[in-house]
Amino acid sequence: MQTFLIIWLGQFASLLGSEMTNFAITIWAWEVTGQATPLSFILAVTQIPRLLISPFAGVWVDRFNRKHLMFLGDTVAGLSTIALLVLFLTDHLQIWHLYVSGAVNGLFGYIQGLAHSASMSLIVAEKHYARASAFESLQMSGSYVIAPAIAGAIYAVTGLSGILTIDLVTFGIAIATLSTVTIPQPTTSPQTAEPVWQQLTFGLQYLWRRPSLKVLLSFFLISNFINSASFSLLPAMVLARLGNDSTVLGTLFSFFGAGGLLGGLTLSLWGGPKRRIHGVLIFSAIWKVGLIVLALAQTVATKIGTALISGFCSPFPGSCSQAIWRSKVEPDVQGRVFATRFLLTQLATPLGAAIAGPLADHVFEPAMQPGQPLAQLLGDIFGVGPGAGMALQMALFASCGLVVALGGYGIRRLRQIENDDDLVT
């Protein structure tokens, strides 16, 4: 676990800087536009390049030096931050620059993340897979605790420039720690004489012969669409309902992170439920209930308490799912298979984000303004005025997600995935 922990520490520093930048950019974009669409589009354009490159990235990760690919991802992310900093300091930064930066970071960040994920099965013993996955979730949750609070305080003093400068420092830390470790390569790799099309479709062929993995893919495809369409609205909804109070937004996301930190610590010590599919379905359902409560909550205290509980549940579905995948897919093909998994499960993520913003700005928000029929019907539940339409929209999507999560127990292949031999010859 020593190599894993060294990499983890460096990537945690990098992630902390990135999350500070993401938080500051969210505030900046809202201050400039006052609309939900730009915020949701940033998520969409970050995901689309990942989807386009994922079949090729899987081949590259299984064939090329994974450490070099991780270096590449961190380096490009650093260069992107430099570009944003220069544009901001020269007073040329515009919203479309954030789209370009998000696309570039999404593409190379995916390659870096896939190389990292595929390497873990060779760095970490199988008995520690769930704990390693929990530490990875802990990494994200920890950054959510610290980043919003630090970014909120620094943004008030230095604006966006101070945040971007700190982000550059954290990229340097990530590269420095990565340079000190050795990352093993798989013992076998795709044959160079193998047709390119066959290499690119290997993951699809692999999954096609494993029905229960296909069902798990379908579950996350639907769940990711709902998560994207609802959670992408949360920053805009909070800022709209609380008069652009970035301090409350930072506090809310810090409590999300604190809950996730506690959940990740619990997973790292416990190792997760013996039946990992319970961790996927039950905690997915609780997470959706949390989103519904956040949409309904009228007080800051209720929002913060809900964020803490929801955050606690957030590491469980991904960590338990990742443990299932790592135990069922051979290490030497995980790059290609995981890339295909990402492509198929994330197809709906940019779609959900792209739909959510315009739907909020042009349908739900106008419909929940004072005097409108829908506001008169549901105003006592969701309130009226700025943010009420986004709250209604988020609650509707999250309710659908709750039905999907609980309905997973009605599908035998999903419920019994860990007991299934899962190979069709």
Side-chain angles (χ1 to χ4, degrees):
M1 290 284 287
Q2 181 178 355
T3 298
F4 170 81
L5 291 174
I6 292 173
I7 297 172
W8 184 90
L9 287 171
Q11 294 304 308
F12 175 71
S14 176
L15 184 60
L16 180 62
S18 297
E19 289 303 321
M20 289 175 63
T21 295
N22 291 340
F23 182 83
I25 283 175
T26 297
I27 298 173
W28 184 85
W30 178 261
E31 289 176 345
V32 171
T33 67
Q35 292 186 324
T37 298
L39 276 63
S40 63
F41 272 15
I42 291 173
L43 175 60
V45 299
T46 300
Q47 286 293 99
I48 291 172
R50 295 176 178 179
L51 298 175
L52 296 176
I53 202 67
S54 58
F56 304 94
V59 175
W60 297 338
V61 166
D62 283 341
R63 174 173 293 174
F64 299 125
N65 187 292
R66 292 173 177 177
K67 181 175 179 178
H68 293 168
L69 293 176
M70 293 172 68
F71 266 124
L72 177 65
D74 283 332
T75 301
V76 171
L79 293 174
S80 174
T81 301
I82 291 174
L84 289 180
L85 180 58
V86 170
L87 287 168
F88 181 79
L89 292 176
T90 58
D91 200 27
H92 287 92
L93 184 62
Q94 299 180 37
I95 292 296
W96 71 267
H97 292 135
L98 303 182
Y99 298 157
V100 174
S101 174
V104 171
N105 287 339
L107 192 155
F108 286 94
Y110 174 69
I111 296 174
Q112 191 269 357
L114 183 62
H116 175 273
S117 179
S119 299
M120 290 305 100
S121 297
L122 300 174
I123 293 174
V124 179
E126 183 174 356
K127 65 180 179 179
H128 296 307
Y129 281 174
R131 285 185 172 87
S133 297
F135 268 101
E136 291 168 350
S137 295
L138 188 64
Q139 185 182 76
M140 180 68 75
S141 300
S143 68
Y144 279 153
V145 175
I146 303 170
I150 296 177
I154 295 177
Y155 187 88
V157 177
T158 68
L160 192 57
S161 60
I163 305 296
L164 294 175
T165 301
I166 294 174
D167 198 3
L168 287 174
V169 174
T170 63
F171 282 127
I173 295 173
I175 291 174
T177 54
L178 189 59
S179 64
T180 65
V181 300
T182 299
I183 298 178
Q185 292 292 110
T187 54
T188 60
S189 61
Q191 299 298 315
T192 56
E194 190 179 39
V196 174
W197 179 250
Q198 188 173 343
Q199 295 178 36
L200 296 179
T201 58
F202 175 86
L204 286 172
Q205 297 172 25
Y206 184 95
L207 293 171
W208 185 257
R209 301 174 62 210
R210 290 160 175 81
S212 64
L213 289 181
K214 287 192 292 184
V215 174
L216 186 60
L217 281 170
S218 300
F219 171 81
F220 275 99
L221 174 65
I222 298 171
S223 183
N224 287 342
F225 172 80
I226 293 170
N227 286 340
S228 175
S230 53
F231 197 72
S232 63
L233 292 175
L234 184 60
M237 183 192 77
V238 172
L239 289 170
R241 301 192 87 165
L242 298 176
N244 296 347
D245 192 333
S246 59
T247 302
V248 174
L249 180 65
T251 302
L252 183 67
F253 274 89
S254 290
F255 272 85
F256 264 116
L261 185 63
L262 292 173
L265 284 171
T266 301
L267 262 174
S268 63
L269 295 173
W270 172 30
K274 186 176 181 181
R275 290 282 308 283
R276 289 163 180 167
I277 193 61
H278 291 322
V280 173
L281 298 178
I282 293 175
F283 288 93
S284 291
I286 298 174
W287 168 250
K288 300 305 187 299
V289 172
L291 289 178
I292 295 171
V293 175
L294 281 171
L296 294 171
Q298 299 293 322
T299 66
V300 173
T302 304
K303 291 180 186 293
I304 289 175
T306 304
L308 183 65
I309 297 171
S310 297
F312 178 86
C313 298
S314 62
F316 284 81
S319 295
C320 292
S321 173
Q322 186 73 340
I324 292 172
W325 281 92
R326 284 175 175 164
S327 65
K328 295 179 79 71
V329 179
E330 298 83 354
D332 58 320
V333 300
Q334 284 185 5
R336 286 168 289 169
V337 174
F338 286 4
T340 303
R341 175 192 65 176
F342 176 85
L343 173 64
L344 296 177
T345 58
Q346 295 294 325
L347 278 172
T349 300
L351 178 61
I355 289 174
L359 194 61
D361 288 333
H362 302 294
V363 178
F364 282 94
E365 278 293 288
M368 292 298 288
Q369 296 306 305
Q372 296 299 315
L374 193 60
Q376 294 175 356
L377 178 65
L378 299 174
D380 290 340
I381 300 175
F382 294 96
V384 295
M390 287 183 277
L392 171 59
Q393 182 179 332
M394 191 168 79
L396 290 174
F397 276 109
S399 298
C400 293
L402 177 61
V403 171
V404 170
L406 295 178
Y409 278 105
I411 303 173
R412 190 200 64 81
R413 284 199 181 276
L414 185 60
R415 187 176 64 249
Q416 300 292 335
I417 186 171
E418 292 158 276
N419 301 327
D420 200 334
D421 185 42
D422 203 35
L423 183 63
V424 177
T425 57

